[in-house]
Amino acid sequence: MRKNIFPLCIPVLLFALSGPAIAGANTAQLNCTGSHAGQTLTLVGDIPASIVEVDLKLSYRGQTIGLVSPQAETSESTDFRHGIFKLEAALSGSNKLQLQAKPKSIKYKGSMGSGRLKASFGAVLKSAPEPFKSALKGAELSCVYAYEV
């Protein structure tokens, strides 16, 4: 039986992986939640690992905004072994979401090459899209990441 370290987390599919892929075969799940100024903060969405599309939802204080393809473009950098996890979803200009793991907080087991990877880490919102831009800059989230072919 697997223990859920972060029981308040919401499942999120959140990565585009490069390389040959079979549609629907590769998916990463990212469960992130946090609290900022006494309010619950969640980042929820999905990106099939074999297609560069995004459908993210950022919720805070009863409001939810979406970052959806083709209006939003995403990029990510993931190398848990070297303490790297960065995600950016840009709408236009400076209206974007940037999530970055705290490198020393990353704990992981497995590898993408083996088809199974699990990681947990603390992350910081480096920037958030409007209307949360000024309110959520620097907000912290607890995340659990799971990838399995």
Side-chain angles (χ1 to χ4, degrees):
M1 179 183 271
R2 191 177 114 198
K3 280 185 164 179
N4 188 349
I5 298 170
F6 303 101
L8 298 176
C9 295
I10 297 174
V12 179
L13 305 174
L14 194 65
F15 281 90
L17 302 174
S18 60
I22 299 168
N26 300 326
T27 310
Q29 296 180 346
L30 181 70
N31 303 302
C32 290
T33 191
S35 179
H36 187 69
Q39 300 289 318
T40 299
L41 166 65
T42 60
L43 178 62
V44 178
D46 57 64
I47 299 175
S50 58
I51 304 170
V52 181
E53 290 183 6
V54 63
D55 185 1
L56 293 171
K57 290 175 183 61
L58 179 65
S59 299
Y60 180 65
R61 292 188 175 203
Q63 288 186 302
T64 300
I65 59 166
L67 296 106
V68 181
S69 296
Q71 293 82 11
E73 294 183 15
T74 60
S75 64
E76 57 86 17
S77 178
T78 305
D79 185 347
F80 291 120
R81 187 176 53 165
H82 292 103
I84 298 170
F85 171 84
K86 296 177 185 176
L87 172 73
E88 183 173 305
L91 287 170
S92 62
S94 63
N95 197 25
K96 61 186 165 190
L97 176 134
Q98 291 179 308
L99 181 71
Q100 183 173 338
K102 298 176 186 177
K104 293 183 179 183
S105 73
I106 294 175
K107 294 179 177 68
Y108 73 96
K109 184 177 181 180
S111 71
M112 289 197 190
S114 71
R116 178 176 271 183
L117 181 130
K118 292 184 180 185
S120 63
F121 53 90
V124 176
L125 275 175
K126 295 292 188 177
S127 67
E130 295 295 347
F132 306 132
K133 191 170 189 166
S134 60
L136 294 180
K137 185 174 182 175
E140 296 188 9
L141 297 163
S142 294
C143 300
V144 174
Y145 172 94
Y147 167 83
E148 188 171 346
V149 177

